[in-house]
Amino acid sequence: MLNVRRLLLLTEATERGSLTAAAEALGMTTSAASQQMSLLEQEAGQPLIERLPRGIRPTPAGAALAERGQAIRRELRAAQADLDSFTALDQGTLRLGSFPTASASLLPLALTRFRRRHTGIRIEVRAGVLAELREMLHTGEVEQGLLWDYEWNRLDDPALTLTHLLDDPTVLVVPADSPLRSHPSVRLSDLADQEWIIRADNHPVADVLRRSCRQAGFEPRIAYSSHDYQEAQAMVAAGLGIALAPRLALTSRRSDVRLLPFASDVPAPTRRILLARATARPATPPAQAMARVLRTVAQRFTAPGLHRAQLGAVRRG
């Protein structure tokens, strides 16, 4: 049977392209790592790495083993997280994962309510993009995570148990003095001649804009790429263009922009906000309590009164 520690060394070396870097990551000397790699190749009965002038390259067999090593490493981390959770429960720790929009809207209210009711429980929050949050859930780095999806990228992961918290519709962001304010509802097909503010760095909302506009029959003309929603609002307020955004991302709305709803037949997608946990690990009592709080708080963000307040004086002025 292959030695697991040596297999993890191969995995690290393959990922880092260097046996020296892998040794440092695992707390070994380079000479010890070289000896362990030679022993692993003896166990495997064939070469697993090619030593290059600078670094290493896996052989086909080495690459296949390294891929297995990634799965084993994930399970070992998850096992350690399981053990840590027993200790953490004695100290009352709950580890959560979240993404920026939820961290600026839904989560703060939930944390306030939870801490008021459960003063002895320590909460740790890790932020990340969708792929990072899923990995944290798989490895046990977080016990619960707030995730999101759209119709075209539904989360289909049997390793995760998902709870639907709320639907977050897409709205149009326009300057406060925009003529579009007088429209009872907006159709995307009427906006083909507009300039658009888009999210940078392949942000999911940039995908929403392009998909929605193409479905409406035109390609959006991009005037500016923003790195956060406050920046996007500022550019809209300055008259540089208009923008699409999920409603939950705009709970802190500038006074010089307005949020307009789309007509019901407009292809402006709604994203789902989800609470996830690893299916294989039962929810701890703190996690169960947080899930109840999040479900209650989510109802406030779907209430008609809040919706009207967020849309903000669409017909005034």
Side-chain angles (χ1 to χ4, degrees), residues 42-122:
Q42 291 178 24
E43 292 174 348
Q46 58 187 301
L48 298 176
I49 61 171
E50 298 174 19
R51 289 172 169 80
L52 305 175
R54 298 186 66 178
I56 62 96
R57 177 173 59 206
T59 65
L65 271 185
E67 185 174 350
R68 295 285 187 181
Q70 291 175 340
I72 292 171
R73 183 177 59 192
R74 171 186 285 183
E75 289 300 317
L76 287 172
R77 287 176 177 174
Q80 184 62 53
D82 285 342
L83 291 176
D84 291 344
S85 70
F86 287 103
T87 302
L89 279 178
D90 292 338
Q91 300 176 356
T93 299
L94 176 62
R95 302 182 307 277
L96 298 172
S98 183
F99 59 98
T101 301
S103 296
S105 56
L106 180 70
L107 186 57
L109 182 55
L111 290 174
T112 300
R113 290 191 176 192
F114 184 90
R115 292 172 67 86
R116 189 182 300 133
R117 299 173 185 175
H118 308 284
T119 57
I121 296 178
R122 180 172 178 266

Side-chain angles (χ1 to χ4, degrees), residues 165-168 247 297-307:
L165 293 177
L166 72 150
D167 289 326
D168 189 18
R247 193 181 71 204
V297 169
Q299 294 176 6
R300 290 196 57 181
F301 285 85
T302 57
L306 178 64
H307 189 178

Side-chain angles (χ1 to χ4, degrees), residues 156-315:
D156 183 16
D157 189 341
L160 297 179
T161 297
L162 304 175
T163 300
H164 177 214
L165 293 177
L166 72 150
D167 289 326
D168 189 18
T170 298
V171 296
L172 183 68
V173 188
V174 302
D177 58 355
S178 170
L180 293 170
R181 289 179 55 197
S182 61
H183 296 204
S185 60
V186 182
R187 298 182 61 85
L188 264 175
S189 56
D190 296 332
L191 304 175
D193 61 344
Q194 297 282 338
E195 299 283 344
W196 292 88
I197 310 299
I198 198 170
R199 287 299 304 270
D201 304 323
N202 297 316
H203 192 277
V205 172
D207 188 29
V208 169
L209 173 64
R210 291 193 171 96
R211 285 175 179 269
S212 301
C213 291
R214 288 167 185 166
Q215 194 172 349
F218 68 94
E219 192 71 25
R221 295 186 300 176
I222 308 303
Y224 187 80
S225 298
S226 69
H227 292 277
D228 60 54
Y229 289 109
Q230 286 292 65
E231 183 184 7
Q233 289 187 66
M235 293 299 103
V236 170
L240 195 61
I242 59 177
L244 291 186
R247 193 181 71 204
L248 202 61
L250 300 167
T251 50
S252 297
R253 180 178 60 81
R254 291 173 59 105
S255 61
D256 47 6
V257 301
R258 295 293 182 265
L259 312 183
L260 307 184
F262 284 103
S264 59
D265 59 341
V266 170
T270 293
R271 69 176 179 175
R272 299 189 306 170
I273 307 299
L274 308 163
L275 180 64
R277 66 170 180 83
T279 303
R281 290 187 288 276
T284 61
Q288 294 173 21
M290 177 57 79
R292 290 191 294 269
V293 171
L294 281 167
R295 286 194 296 268
T296 300
V297 169
Q299 294 176 6
R300 290 196 57 181
F301 285 85
T302 57
L306 178 64
H307 189 178
R308 288 193 297 271
Q310 285 181 306
L311 290 176
V314 170
R315 298 181 179 85

